[in-house]
Amino acid sequence: MTYRAPVKDMLFCMKELAGIEDVAKIPGFEEAGYETAQAVLEESAKFCEGVLAPLNFEGDKNPGSWNNGKVTTAPGFKEAFKLFGEGGWQGLQHPVEFGGQGLPKTIGAACLEMVNAANMSFALCPLLTDGAAEALLTAGSDELKAKYLPKMIEGTWTGSMNLTEPQAGSDLALVRTKAVSQGDGTYRISGQKIFITYGEHDMAENIVHLVLARTPDAPEGVKGISLFVVPKFLVGDDGSLGKRNDVYCASIEHKLGIKASPTTVLVFGDDKGEVGAGAIGYLVGQENRGLEYMFIMMNAARFGVGVQGVAIADRAYQHAVAYARDRVQSRPVDGSLPGSGPIIHHPDVKRMLLTMRAHVEGCRAMALTAAATYDAAHHHPDADVRKQNAAFYEFMVPLVKGFSTEMSLEVTSLGVQVHGGMGFIEETGAAQYYRDAKILTIYEGTTAIQANDLVGRKTSRDGGTVAKAVAKQIEATEAELGKRDSVAARTVAKRLKAGREAFLQVVDFVAGNTKASPNAVFAGSVPYLMLAGNLVAGWQLGRALLVAEDKAAAGEDVDFMQAKIATARFYADHILTKVPGLRDTIVEGGDSVSGLALDAF
């Protein structure tokens, strides 16, 4: 179950597709070019391969435990997290002024993939801390930032997101947790939160909970939700830890996957701390704007979950390839071997492995390209450039999150299939990736929620303007591919053209019918997301093919470049070909979703 970080492919994507050298021209990122990226990724690979990956299988089997409100994490996790913090990995992307390294998201996203591929249960803790830090950086007061961010960024303290309640899952308008002002700048928080990742654990000195709650006079619905910092231990003005706050872990969930990540039930205000009844909290920003601030956390986390999809898929792919090279079964159908040989010789096994590989490389390229536009959107000195990149990035987020995670289910399932009967046996490890991947299409917004975002905010609201701008870029890549003489380039150009034309028909359908026929449009929302994600990933592989052909012709790393070309062609022939069919489902299939009466189900 050895993991090898795909540093070479990541660096190829960062240099040739995401444009890391252009990112390095942005003020503040001058030292974050290709050489820095290479050095950081190589060090990250060493840590993930040597420290985190060996803990993954054991953590699944011995995932830690709850006892009287305290959670003991899986064997080795506490020591690994200490090393993670000491190595500066928690602060990779965060501002230098609070102790971070200030590196771009383009580099951070690649490191995030490695950590999650090595050990996704472990990686959830720093991922949630990143989200909490992002919310404080955006909306927190100077006092809150100074008090909490340095310790979070150095990895001494961790963060958690507290949204969900028993009656309020995706519908946060139903949040009931209460926050009562004490007149001294503090609030008393009471209520219950469920599904809180790393809401209690033994890996850090303190946990900074970001909690959604309502003040007594708040308006109903989402416009009456506020955001609060509720630390596990109160923090003095000098940064020292004080009394235990009134937040208690009532239990941890027993889950299908990510078993070593404690998913907690937290009770606030049950008088189980040292501060009296009601957890002490501190308002972040203004009252009744909590969902707006929390969405910052959620958007960052959604991108991160998409990267988790790429990560777990790559881990499953590596595992499957290793098994297929070793497992000897049957003579190849072409008679290329005199007797039984490794199953990697069989055409259908090669098809499954190439499907896994092509999906991983396409989604990795999509995520890293999106990360570079995030860097430009937030840090470029030109306002027009920031605006253009922000629009592109926002369009990409539901694709990175939704498509990459749905992809991970297909890829991890194929990983089990490659193993045959042994894949169904837990000891081989293939099943763990499949189980771990399932949560990715659910948390931080289900695939349907991402699809609704793509339809409503990202397509219908602007009449498809941004979507059509993306299609223009794809068309330019088609034109470049069409100038080539190779079969691979012409094949990818042909499939991209068909996919782009189908995409534009869907965009016009969505933009033109969302208000008039919402049920018909939203019935095809997830297929639309899958179509768009498939197309954009294929587009990135088409761009990669152009670069790889040039470099192979120049004699540069020929084997690697030929593999990039072969993977892009396979994607075009076997995955991108699904796009026109999805167009038919979306544009013509909406009525059939409503064809069966509700009482007939």
Side-chain angles (χ1 to χ4, degrees):
M1 299 179 203
T2 302
Y3 169 66
R4 289 290 175 262
V7 174
K8 180 181 281 191
D9 192 59
M10 289 175 170
L11 289 172
F12 175 89
C13 291
M14 292 168 73
K15 182 179 181 181
E16 308 297 347
L17 307 180
I20 188 66
E21 294 297 356
D22 290 330
V23 173
K25 295 175 184 176
I26 298 173
F29 293 149
E30 293 89 349
E31 302 300 319
Y34 182 82
E35 289 186 2
T36 297
Q38 183 176 14
V40 173
L41 264 60
E42 288 174 352
E43 286 303 309
S44 177
K46 291 177 185 176
F47 179 78
C48 292
E49 294 168 1
V51 177
L52 298 183
L55 302 176
N56 190 50
F57 185 77
E58 177 64 22
D60 186 62
K61 297 293 164 278
N62 297 288
S65 59
W66 175 93
N67 183 39
N68 195 28
K70 295 182 179 180
V71 173
T72 302
T73 49
F77 271 41
K78 183 175 182 179
E79 295 78 10
F81 190 76
K82 185 173 186 293
L83 294 173
F84 184 82
E86 290 173 351
W89 299 112
Q90 186 69 69
L92 200 69
Q93 295 173 228
H94 295 300
V96 174
E97 65 179 297
F98 294 109
Q101 299 183 46
L103 291 175
K105 191 180 189 79
T106 312
I107 295 176
C111 294
L112 180 66
E113 182 192 326
M114 289 187 209
V115 175
N116 278 279
N119 195 323
M120 198 164 80
S121 286
F122 175 92
L124 280 164
C125 187
L127 178 66
L128 272 296
T129 301
D130 282 339
E134 192 81 19
L136 287 175
L137 284 166
T138 302
S141 65
D142 290 343
E143 181 183 357
L144 286 177
K145 291 176 185 177
K147 182 172 284 190
Y148 294 101
L149 284 174
K151 291 288 189 180
M152 294 169 70
I153 288 171
E154 74 179 20
T156 305
W157 300 349
T158 62
S160 77
M161 293 170 62
N162 292 251
L163 291 76
T164 307
E165 299 178 7
Q167 79 292 341
S170 300
D171 188 357
L172 293 174
L174 301 177
V175 164
R176 294 176 186 163
T177 297
K178 296 179 181 179
V180 179
S181 175
Q182 302 300 294
D184 60 357
T186 68
Y187 291 73
R188 289 282 182 167
I189 313 295
S190 59
Q192 184 185 92
K193 298 290 183 177
I194 63 171
F195 301 157
I196 308 306
T197 301
Y198 279 93
E200 171 61 24
H201 60 84
D202 61 353
M203 302 194 320
E205 295 174 3
N206 202 6
I207 304 173
V208 183
H209 303 293
L210 272 287
V211 183
L212 288 184
R214 294 182 181 281
T215 55
D217 55 351
E220 292 296 318
V222 295
K223 293 183 179 180
I225 298 174
S226 300
L227 180 63
F228 299 88
V229 166
V230 183
K232 177 180 176 179
F233 291 96
L234 300 185
V235 181
D237 292 337
D238 61 354
S240 62
L241 297 183
K243 294 180 178 180
R244 180 72 156 82
N245 210 349
D246 187 13
V247 51
Y248 174 78
C249 178
S251 64
I252 57 175
E253 306 293 352
H254 303 282
K255 309 186 297 292
L256 173 70
I258 55 167
K259 292 185 176 182
S261 167
T263 302
T264 64
V265 175
L266 295 185
V267 177
F268 298 84
D270 210 24
D271 199 7
K272 291 191 176 180
E274 300 171 324
V275 296
I280 295 176
Y282 308 89
L283 181 68
V284 177
Q286 301 174 17
E287 284 189 8
N288 303 325
R289 294 182 65 184
L291 197 61
E292 173 189 339
Y293 305 143
M294 187 63 88
F295 194 79
I296 296 164
M297 279 179 80
M298 291 167 64
N299 227 26
R302 284 174 176 179
F303 178 87
V305 172
V307 173
Q308 287 184 310
V310 179
I312 200 70
D314 186 51
R315 187 75 187 270
Y317 167 67
Q318 291 188 28
H319 202 118
V321 169
Y323 184 83
R325 292 188 188 282
D326 290 341
R327 177 66 167 168
V328 175
Q329 286 286 286
S330 303
R331 185 184 181 192
V333 294
D334 63 357
S336 56
L337 294 176
S340 296
I343 62 172
I344 200 168
H345 287 272
H346 301 317
D348 192 59
V349 174
K350 291 175 70 176
R351 179 194 62 82
M352 288 190 286
L353 293 175
L354 271 166
T355 300
M356 299 170 80
R357 179 191 183 102
H359 267 311
V360 168
E361 291 191 8
C363 287
R364 176 181 294 130
M366 178 168 65
L368 290 175
T369 302
T373 63
Y374 174 95
D375 291 325
H378 285 75
H379 302 286
H380 200 283
D382 187 309
D384 289 337
V385 173
R386 290 199 302 272
K387 182 178 179 181
Q388 181 181 356
N389 279 276
F392 183 90
Y393 178 77
E394 289 299 319
F395 189 84
M396 287 296 111
V397 169
L399 307 189
V400 172
K401 201 286 185 185
F403 183 74
S404 299
T405 58
E406 291 288 345
M407 172 278 291
S408 74
L409 283 179
E410 179 181 353
V411 169
T412 54
S413 177
L414 285 172
V416 173
Q417 192 73 17
V418 169
H419 283 74
M422 294 305 295
F424 203 66
I425 306 302
E426 289 287 358
E427 283 74 14
T428 63
Q432 182 188 347
Y433 309 133
Y434 191 24
R435 290 186 287 101
D436 284 352
K438 182 56 233 174
I439 189 60
L440 302 180
T441 63
I442 299 172
Y443 64 17
E444 301 307 333
T446 63
T447 304
I449 288 174
Q450 310 307 315
N452 289 351
D453 179 44
L454 180 65
V455 167
R457 294 187 182 91
K458 309 299 168 60
T459 304
S460 179
R461 181 177 289 179
D462 70 352
T465 299
V466 173
K468 291 177 181 179
V470 172
K472 278 288 185 184
Q473 295 183 61
I474 296 172
E475 187 175 17
T477 301
E478 288 170 35
E480 290 300 312
L481 288 163
K483 296 174 183 177
R484 303 294 176 99
D485 294 327
S486 70
V487 173
R490 291 187 177 276
T491 298
V492 175
K494 175 184 176 181
R495 303 302 188 196
L496 271 180
K497 183 175 186 293
R500 174 180 55 81
E501 290 174 348
F503 173 69
L504 287 171
Q505 291 174 39
V506 169
V507 169
D508 284 339
F509 171 75
V510 169
N513 293 280
T514 300
K515 289 185 179 179
S517 305
N519 285 342
V521 171
F522 282 94
S525 62
V526 169
Y528 172 34
L529 184 151
M530 297 303 289
L531 183 157
N534 186 333
L535 177 64
V536 171
W539 168 39
Q540 296 307 320
L541 289 181
R543 295 178 64 213
L545 183 148
L546 291 169
V547 175
E549 283 195 340
D550 290 343
K551 290 186 177 296
E556 182 180 333
D557 204 352
V558 175
D559 290 345
F560 177 81
M561 298 305 165
Q562 290 291 354
K564 296 297 291 184
I565 294 166
T567 302
R569 182 180 176 185
F570 178 90
Y571 191 102
D573 279 338
H574 293 263
I575 300 173
L576 200 50
T577 47
K578 298 176 182 177
V579 168
L582 285 170
R583 174 264 171 214
D584 296 345
T585 297
I586 300 159
V587 176
E588 301 172 14
D591 288 345
S592 62
V593 175
S594 303
L596 187 65
L598 295 180
D599 58 5
F601 280 94

Short mmCIF file of all heavy atoms in Angstrom, two decimals, residues 436-471:
data_model
loop_
_atom_site.label_atom_id
_atom_site.label_comp_id
_atom_site.label_asym_id
_atom_site.label_seq_id
_atom_site.Cartn_x
_atom_site.Cartn_y
_atom_site.Cartn_z
N ASP A 436 -13.94 5.49 1.77
CA ASP A 436 -13.55 6.86 2.12
C ASP A 436 -14.10 7.87 1.11
O ASP A 436 -14.46 9.00 1.47
CB ASP A 436 -12.03 6.99 2.19
CG ASP A 436 -11.42 6.39 3.45
OD1 ASP A 436 -12.19 6.01 4.36
OD2 ASP A 436 -10.18 6.30 3.53
N ALA A 437 -14.14 7.49 -0.17
CA ALA A 437 -14.54 8.42 -1.21
C ALA A 437 -16.02 8.81 -1.12
O ALA A 437 -16.40 9.91 -1.55
CB ALA A 437 -14.25 7.82 -2.59
N LYS A 438 -16.86 7.95 -0.57
CA LYS A 438 -18.30 8.21 -0.61
C LYS A 438 -18.69 9.52 0.06
O LYS A 438 -19.58 10.24 -0.42
CB LYS A 438 -19.07 7.04 0.03
CG LYS A 438 -20.59 7.18 -0.01
CD LYS A 438 -21.13 7.36 -1.43
CE LYS A 438 -22.00 8.57 -1.55
NZ LYS A 438 -22.44 8.88 -2.90
N ILE A 439 -18.03 9.87 1.14
CA ILE A 439 -18.41 11.09 1.87
C ILE A 439 -18.16 12.34 1.04
O ILE A 439 -18.81 13.37 1.23
CB ILE A 439 -17.65 11.18 3.22
CG1 ILE A 439 -18.19 12.32 4.09
CG2 ILE A 439 -16.15 11.37 2.98
CD1 ILE A 439 -19.65 12.20 4.43
N LEU A 440 -17.26 12.25 0.07
CA LEU A 440 -16.86 13.45 -0.67
C LEU A 440 -17.99 14.04 -1.50
O LEU A 440 -18.01 15.25 -1.76
CB LEU A 440 -15.67 13.14 -1.58
CG LEU A 440 -14.42 12.60 -0.87
CD1 LEU A 440 -13.32 12.33 -1.88
CD2 LEU A 440 -13.94 13.58 0.20
N THR A 441 -18.93 13.20 -1.94
CA THR A 441 -20.07 13.72 -2.71
C THR A 441 -21.18 14.24 -1.80
O THR A 441 -22.20 14.71 -2.29
CB THR A 441 -20.65 12.62 -3.62
OG1 THR A 441 -21.17 11.55 -2.81
CG2 THR A 441 -19.59 12.08 -4.57
N ILE A 442 -20.95 14.16 -0.49
CA ILE A 442 -21.98 14.55 0.48
C ILE A 442 -21.60 15.80 1.27
O ILE A 442 -22.36 16.78 1.29
CB ILE A 442 -22.26 13.37 1.45
CG1 ILE A 442 -22.78 12.15 0.68
CG2 ILE A 442 -23.26 13.80 2.53
CD1 ILE A 442 -22.89 10.89 1.53
N TYR A 443 -20.43 15.76 1.94
CA TYR A 443 -20.16 16.91 2.84
C TYR A 443 -19.67 18.14 2.09
O TYR A 443 -19.26 18.07 0.95
CB TYR A 443 -19.27 16.54 4.00
CG TYR A 443 -17.85 16.08 3.78
CD1 TYR A 443 -17.15 16.28 2.61
CD2 TYR A 443 -17.17 15.44 4.84
CE1 TYR A 443 -15.83 15.87 2.47
CE2 TYR A 443 -15.87 15.01 4.70
CZ TYR A 443 -15.20 15.24 3.51
OH TYR A 443 -13.90 14.82 3.39
N GLU A 444 -19.81 19.28 2.77
CA GLU A 444 -19.58 20.60 2.18
C GLU A 444 -20.50 20.84 0.98
O GLU A 444 -20.15 21.54 0.04
CB GLU A 444 -18.11 20.79 1.78
CG GLU A 444 -17.13 20.65 2.92
CD GLU A 444 -17.46 21.55 4.12
OE1 GLU A 444 -18.09 22.60 3.92
OE2 GLU A 444 -17.09 21.18 5.24
N GLY A 445 -21.69 20.28 1.05
CA GLY A 445 -22.68 20.45 -0.01
C GLY A 445 -22.68 19.27 -0.95
O GLY A 445 -21.69 18.96 -1.60
N THR A 446 -23.81 18.58 -1.02
CA THR A 446 -23.93 17.41 -1.89
C THR A 446 -23.71 17.81 -3.35
O THR A 446 -23.71 18.99 -3.70
CB THR A 446 -25.33 16.80 -1.77
OG1 THR A 446 -26.30 17.76 -2.23
CG2 THR A 446 -25.64 16.40 -0.35
N THR A 447 -23.58 16.80 -4.20
CA THR A 447 -23.41 17.08 -5.63
C THR A 447 -24.59 17.89 -6.17
O THR A 447 -24.39 18.79 -7.00
CB THR A 447 -23.27 15.76 -6.41
OG1 THR A 447 -22.19 15.00 -5.86
CG2 THR A 447 -22.99 16.03 -7.88
N ALA A 448 -25.79 17.60 -5.70
CA ALA A 448 -26.96 18.36 -6.16
C ALA A 448 -26.86 19.83 -5.75
O ALA A 448 -27.27 20.72 -6.51
CB ALA A 448 -28.24 17.74 -5.61
N ILE A 449 -26.33 20.10 -4.57
CA ILE A 449 -26.17 21.49 -4.13
C ILE A 449 -25.14 22.21 -5.00
O ILE A 449 -25.31 23.37 -5.39
CB ILE A 449 -25.80 21.54 -2.64
CG1 ILE A 449 -27.02 21.15 -1.80
CG2 ILE A 449 -25.30 22.93 -2.24
CD1 ILE A 449 -26.75 21.04 -0.32
N GLN A 450 -24.05 21.52 -5.34
CA GLN A 450 -23.06 22.12 -6.25
C GLN A 450 -23.71 22.38 -7.61
O GLN A 450 -23.45 23.42 -8.25
CB GLN A 450 -21.86 21.19 -6.43
CG GLN A 450 -21.23 20.66 -5.17
CD GLN A 450 -20.86 21.74 -4.18
OE1 GLN A 450 -20.29 22.77 -4.55
NE2 GLN A 450 -21.20 21.54 -2.92
N ALA A 451 -24.53 21.43 -8.07
CA ALA A 451 -25.19 21.57 -9.37
C ALA A 451 -26.20 22.73 -9.36
O ALA A 451 -26.32 23.47 -10.33
CB ALA A 451 -25.88 20.27 -9.75
N ASN A 452 -26.92 22.88 -8.25
CA ASN A 452 -27.85 24.00 -8.13
C ASN A 452 -27.11 25.33 -8.18
O ASN A 452 -27.59 26.31 -8.77
CB ASN A 452 -28.65 23.90 -6.83
CG ASN A 452 -29.66 22.78 -6.85
OD1 ASN A 452 -29.91 22.17 -7.89
ND2 ASN A 452 -30.24 22.48 -5.70
N ASP A 453 -25.93 25.37 -7.56
CA ASP A 453 -25.09 26.56 -7.61
C ASP A 453 -24.65 26.85 -9.05
O ASP A 453 -24.67 28.00 -9.50
CB ASP A 453 -23.87 26.35 -6.70
CG ASP A 453 -22.92 27.53 -6.69
OD1 ASP A 453 -23.39 28.68 -6.60
OD2 ASP A 453 -21.70 27.31 -6.77
N LEU A 454 -24.26 25.80 -9.76
CA LEU A 454 -23.83 25.96 -11.15
C LEU A 454 -24.97 26.49 -12.02
O LEU A 454 -24.77 27.37 -12.87
CB LEU A 454 -23.34 24.62 -11.69
CG LEU A 454 -22.85 24.60 -13.14
CD1 LEU A 454 -21.60 25.47 -13.31
CD2 LEU A 454 -22.56 23.17 -13.59
N VAL A 455 -26.17 25.97 -11.80
CA VAL A 455 -27.33 26.42 -12.57
C VAL A 455 -27.73 27.84 -12.20
O VAL A 455 -27.86 28.72 -13.07
CB VAL A 455 -28.53 25.46 -12.36
CG1 VAL A 455 -29.82 26.09 -12.89
CG2 VAL A 455 -28.28 24.14 -13.05
N GLY A 456 -27.92 28.07 -10.90
CA GLY A 456 -28.48 29.34 -10.46
C GLY A 456 -27.51 30.51 -10.47
O GLY A 456 -27.71 31.50 -11.19
N ARG A 457 -26.46 30.39 -9.68
CA ARG A 457 -25.53 31.51 -9.53
C ARG A 457 -24.53 31.63 -10.68
O ARG A 457 -24.10 32.73 -11.01
CB ARG A 457 -24.75 31.38 -8.21
CG ARG A 457 -25.59 31.51 -6.96
CD ARG A 457 -24.70 31.54 -5.72
NE ARG A 457 -25.49 31.62 -4.49
CZ ARG A 457 -25.91 30.57 -3.81
NH1 ARG A 457 -25.63 29.35 -4.26
NH2 ARG A 457 -26.61 30.70 -2.71
N LYS A 458 -24.15 30.49 -11.26
CA LYS A 458 -23.03 30.52 -12.19
C LYS A 458 -23.45 30.50 -13.66
O LYS A 458 -22.60 30.71 -14.53
CB LYS A 458 -22.11 29.32 -11.91
CG LYS A 458 -21.70 29.17 -10.44
CD LYS A 458 -20.93 30.37 -9.92
CE LYS A 458 -20.77 30.38 -8.41
NZ LYS A 458 -20.06 29.21 -7.87
N THR A 459 -24.72 30.22 -13.95
CA THR A 459 -25.15 30.17 -15.35
C THR A 459 -26.37 31.05 -15.60
O THR A 459 -26.34 31.95 -16.44
CB THR A 459 -25.46 28.72 -15.77
OG1 THR A 459 -24.31 27.89 -15.53
CG2 THR A 459 -25.82 28.65 -17.26
N SER A 460 -27.44 30.79 -14.88
CA SER A 460 -28.68 31.53 -15.13
C SER A 460 -28.55 33.01 -14.78
O SER A 460 -29.03 33.87 -15.52
CB SER A 460 -29.82 30.91 -14.32
OG SER A 460 -31.02 31.61 -14.51
N ARG A 461 -27.87 33.30 -13.67
CA ARG A 461 -27.82 34.69 -13.18
C ARG A 461 -27.21 35.64 -14.19
O ARG A 461 -27.66 36.78 -14.36
CB ARG A 461 -27.05 34.74 -11.86
CG ARG A 461 -26.95 36.14 -11.26
CD ARG A 461 -26.23 36.11 -9.92
NE ARG A 461 -27.03 35.48 -8.88
CZ ARG A 461 -26.63 35.31 -7.62
NH1 ARG A 461 -25.41 35.73 -7.27
NH2 ARG A 461 -27.41 34.74 -6.73
N ASP A 462 -26.16 35.21 -14.91
CA ASP A 462 -25.51 36.09 -15.88
C ASP A 462 -25.85 35.73 -17.32
O ASP A 462 -25.19 36.19 -18.26
CB ASP A 462 -23.99 36.10 -15.69
CG ASP A 462 -23.33 34.80 -16.10
OD1 ASP A 462 -24.05 33.83 -16.40
OD2 ASP A 462 -22.08 34.75 -16.13
N GLY A 463 -26.90 34.91 -17.50
CA GLY A 463 -27.30 34.53 -18.84
C GLY A 463 -26.30 33.65 -19.56
O GLY A 463 -26.31 33.56 -20.79
N GLY A 464 -25.42 33.00 -18.80
CA GLY A 464 -24.43 32.10 -19.40
C GLY A 464 -23.19 32.80 -19.90
O GLY A 464 -22.38 32.21 -20.62
N THR A 465 -22.97 34.05 -19.49
CA THR A 465 -21.83 34.83 -19.99
C THR A 465 -20.50 34.17 -19.66
O THR A 465 -19.63 34.01 -20.54
CB THR A 465 -21.87 36.25 -19.41
OG1 THR A 465 -23.08 36.90 -19.82
CG2 THR A 465 -20.68 37.08 -19.91
N VAL A 466 -20.28 33.81 -18.41
CA VAL A 466 -19.01 33.20 -18.01
C VAL A 466 -18.86 31.82 -18.66
O VAL A 466 -17.79 31.46 -19.15
CB VAL A 466 -18.89 33.10 -16.48
CG1 VAL A 466 -17.64 32.32 -16.08
CG2 VAL A 466 -18.85 34.50 -15.86
N ALA A 467 -19.93 31.05 -18.67
CA ALA A 467 -19.88 29.72 -19.28
C ALA A 467 -19.46 29.82 -20.75
O ALA A 467 -18.64 29.02 -21.24
CB ALA A 467 -21.24 29.04 -19.15
N LYS A 468 -20.01 30.80 -21.45
CA LYS A 468 -19.67 30.95 -22.86
C LYS A 468 -18.24 31.46 -23.05
O LYS A 468 -17.58 31.13 -24.05
CB LYS A 468 -20.67 31.88 -23.54
CG LYS A 468 -22.06 31.25 -23.65
CD LYS A 468 -23.09 32.18 -24.26
CE LYS A 468 -24.46 31.50 -24.34
NZ LYS A 468 -25.50 32.40 -24.91
N ALA A 469 -17.75 32.22 -22.09
CA ALA A 469 -16.35 32.66 -22.15
C ALA A 469 -15.41 31.47 -21.97
O ALA A 469 -14.35 31.39 -22.63
CB ALA A 469 -16.08 33.70 -21.06
N VAL A 470 -15.79 30.52 -21.11
CA VAL A 470 -15.01 29.29 -20.96
C VAL A 470 -15.04 28.51 -22.27
O VAL A 470 -14.01 27.99 -22.73
CB VAL A 470 -15.57 28.43 -19.80
CG1 VAL A 470 -14.89 27.07 -19.77
CG2 VAL A 470 -15.39 29.15 -18.47
N ALA A 471 -16.20 28.44 -22.91
CA ALA A 471 -16.31 27.73 -24.18
C ALA A 471 -15.43 28.34 -25.25
O ALA A 471 -14.86 27.63 -26.10
CB ALA A 471 -17.77 27.71 -24.64
#
